[in-house]
Amino acid sequence: MSLLAKIAEIESEMARTQKNKATAHHLGLLKARLAKLRRELITPKGGSGGGAGEGFDVAKTGDARIGFVGFPSVGKSTLLSNLAGVYSEVAAYEFTTLTTVPGVIRYKGAKIQLLDLPGIIEGAKDGKGRGRQVIAVARTCNLILIVLDVLKPLGHKKLIEHELEGFGIRLNKKPPNIGFKKKDKGGINFTATCSQSELDLETVKSILAEYKIHNADVTLRSDCTADDLIDVVEGNRVYIPCIYVLNKIDQISIEELDIIYKVPHCVPISAHHRWNFDDLLERIWDYLHLVRIYTKPKGQLPDYTAPVVLPDGRTAVEDFCMKIHKNLIKEFKYALVWGTSVKHNPQKVGKDHILEDEDVIQLVKK
C-alpha cells in the first residue's frame, strides 16, 4: 500500500469520526499517524536520489527573503517584475514560470530578495507537480506572500494554506507554548498550568506512544490542541509570517474593495496597473521586523545611506559585529550608541546591549 493511499485512508477515517470527548483519544492517535506519514512523504527514504531539482535552490542574498506562492496565473510574475524590475516570463496561459526566478528590491536601506515560485497545484504536499520543491523553497523564506486572484480568493486561500500546513509551515502563528523533554526513564510526566479543553494524560500518552516515546516531561502552558503537541514532537515546523496579496482589483467595484480591506493580513493590489504597491511594501516591512543600525566613524557624521540590517531577535551589539566581520568581536572594547535603545545619548554599552531600529553606533576597539 503506497504512502498516499495510507494517508487518504487515515484522512477519510478522521472525516468519518465524530468529534467528542470519547473519540478525542482515537483522533489524537490518527493525527499523530498522519503527521508521521506526511514526514515520510517530504523526506523520502535513502537510496540513490534523483537528479537535483533544476534551478530550484537559489542562493540566499540580501537581508530577508520573500517567497511568492500562489496558483498559476494569479499575477505572481507580473508583481515581481513590476516590484523589482526583473523580467520573469509573463504570459496569459498557466504554468509560465517553471523554476524559481529571483529578484532584489531595496526598501528603506534593506536588500530584500523576492522569489517568484512556480504555481502550486492541489496535492503539492503529496508530491504532485513541482509542488515539493516549491514548498521546500518556501520553507526557507522570512515572509510568504500568498498571491490570490480577487475574483476567486477564498477557495484558493484555503487550498494553499492546507498545502503549506501539510508541509510543516505554520502561517502567522507563534510556536505553541509546550515544554517537551525526552528522558531515559520515569514514564510520562504530564503537567498543565491551565485547564485543557482537548488534551489529557491518556491522549498525550497515546500520541507519544505513536512516536515510540514512553519517557518524557510534557508541560502545557496554554490551552493546546493535539496538533500543537504533534508539532512540538516532530520539531521540524517553521513559523513564518504571511501576507495575502489580492491581485487584479481593477476588475471589482469600490464597495467590494472596502469589504476586502477588513480581512486581516490582507493587501489588495493590481500588479498590472501598479496600484497600492506602497501599501504592500509598508506591510512587508512591518511583517519582516528588520532593524536598521547606522554606523558612525569617529569624528564624522553617521552614514545614513547604508544601514546594517539585522533580523528581529538577533539585535545585540555582538550580532552587529558578527554581521560586519567575525574578527571584530575579538578587538571589541565598547560601543557608543545614540538612539531609542539608550537612556542618554551617546551611551557607552557592552556587547550584550540590545539595539533598536535606526540606532547609530560607533565601535571602539582595544
Side-chain angles (χ1 to χ4, degrees):
M1 198 174 176
S2 72
L3 276 178
L4 286 177
K6 283 182 188 167
I7 285 180
E9 193 178 298
I10 290 180
E11 278 181 340
S12 69
E13 188 178 343
M14 279 170 67
R16 281 200 307 270
T17 311
Q18 284 184 335
K19 280 184 187 159
N20 55 37
K21 276 203 174 131
T23 60
H25 177 84
H26 178 61
L27 277 171
L29 259 173
L30 291 178
K31 279 179 182 167
R33 255 179 225 158
L34 193 62
K36 272 175 73 175
L37 290 171
R38 283 264 162 79
R39 190 186 56 207
E40 280 175 33
L41 251 188
I42 301 171
T43 50
K45 292 281 192 312
S48 59
E54 286 299 306
F56 255 87
D57 298 331
V58 179
K60 205 165 184 174
T61 60
D63 303 304
R65 184 180 212 182
I66 300 178
F68 292 17
V69 180
F71 281 98
S73 287
V74 291
K76 297 190 292 297
S77 301
T78 317
L79 179 59
L80 178 79
S81 51
N82 282 346
L83 268 179
V86 177
Y87 185 67
S88 172
E89 197 169 321
V90 179
Y93 53 85
E94 307 209 322
F95 297 107
T96 322
T97 311
L98 295 174
T99 60
T100 308
V101 180
V104 174
I105 54 171
R106 278 195 168 277
Y107 187 65
K108 294 192 178 182
K111 268 175 78 176
I112 299 172
Q113 183 182 32
L114 305 174
L115 297 182
D116 177 19
L117 301 172
I120 283 188
I121 54 175
E122 227 176 309
K125 64 178 187 302
D126 307 330
K128 279 190 199 155
R130 258 345 220 335
R132 191 179 283 172
Q133 293 110 314
V134 174
I135 299 185
V137 174
R139 276 181 73 105
T140 65
C141 296
N142 304 91
L143 171 68
I144 291 179
L145 294 190
I146 294 186
V147 187
L148 303 166
D149 192 332
V150 88
L151 300 173
K152 40 188 176 185
L154 285 173
H156 279 186
K157 174 171 175 258
K158 283 206 172 63
L159 284 170
I160 292 179
E161 280 173 354
H162 187 67
E163 298 295 322
L164 295 177
E165 294 263 317
F167 239 80
I169 296 176
R170 301 284 175 264
L171 302 175
N172 289 331
K173 276 187 192 164
K174 293 267 179 287
N177 198 348
I178 297 179
F180 173 72
K181 194 171 156 206
K182 286 187 202 173
K183 50 188 187 181
D184 295 337
K185 54 180 188 288
I188 302 283
N189 183 11
F190 172 77
T191 42
T193 54
C194 54
S195 61
Q196 299 292 324
S197 56
E198 192 174 315
L199 291 175
D200 55 4
L201 181 58
E202 286 305 306
T203 316
V204 170
K205 270 188 178 167
S206 66
I207 289 175
L208 292 179
E210 186 61 42
Y211 285 97
K212 299 188 172 56
I213 298 172
H214 301 293
N215 302 302
D217 291 333
V218 180
T219 316
L220 306 180
R221 300 190 192 90
S222 58
D223 190 0
C224 305
T225 62
D227 291 323
D228 290 342
L229 181 63
I230 292 169
D231 283 353
V232 171
V233 177
E234 284 270 353
N236 61 354
R237 305 293 190 238
V238 284
Y239 296 86
I240 304 179
C242 162
I243 299 175
Y244 304 104
V245 179
L246 291 173
N247 191 11
K248 308 187 183 177
I249 54 169
D250 46 321
Q251 301 176 7
I252 59 169
S253 65
I254 300 283
E255 290 78 13
E256 289 170 302
L257 194 56
D258 284 342
I259 298 170
I260 287 169
Y261 242 104
K262 293 181 181 129
V263 182
H265 310 298
C266 223
V267 181
I269 61 153
S270 167
H272 184 67
H273 296 285
R274 302 184 183 214
W275 292 348
N276 208 14
F277 273 16
D278 41 2
D279 198 20
L280 176 65
L281 285 168
E282 195 53 51
R283 186 73 72 94
I284 285 174
W285 182 259
D286 287 347
Y287 277 60
L288 283 174
H289 295 297
L290 295 175
V291 173
R292 292 162 292 176
I293 309 295
Y294 301 113
T295 54
K296 178 186 181 309
K298 193 170 181 188
Q300 295 174 21
L301 287 170
D303 176 14
Y304 287 120
T305 53
V308 175
V309 180
L310 301 172
D312 188 40
R314 294 214 302 274
T315 59
V317 176
E318 189 172 1
D319 299 310
F320 169 81
C321 296
M322 292 299 280
K323 174 96 185 196
I324 295 173
H325 198 279
K326 58 179 182 290
N327 288 351
L328 251 182
I329 200 73
K330 292 174 189 161
E331 307 167 355
F332 178 82
K333 189 175 177 190
Y334 63 88
L336 293 170
V337 175
W338 292 255
T340 52
S341 69
V342 289
K343 289 195 173 67
H344 47 84
N345 294 329
Q347 185 170 327
K348 215 167 144 177
V349 298
K351 64 177 187 192
D352 296 330
H353 176 76
I354 301 293
L355 298 164
E356 287 177 13
D357 195 23
E358 303 209 69
D359 278 1
V360 175
I361 188 170
Q362 176 184 330
L363 297 179
V364 179
K365 294 184 185 174
K366 285 175 183 159

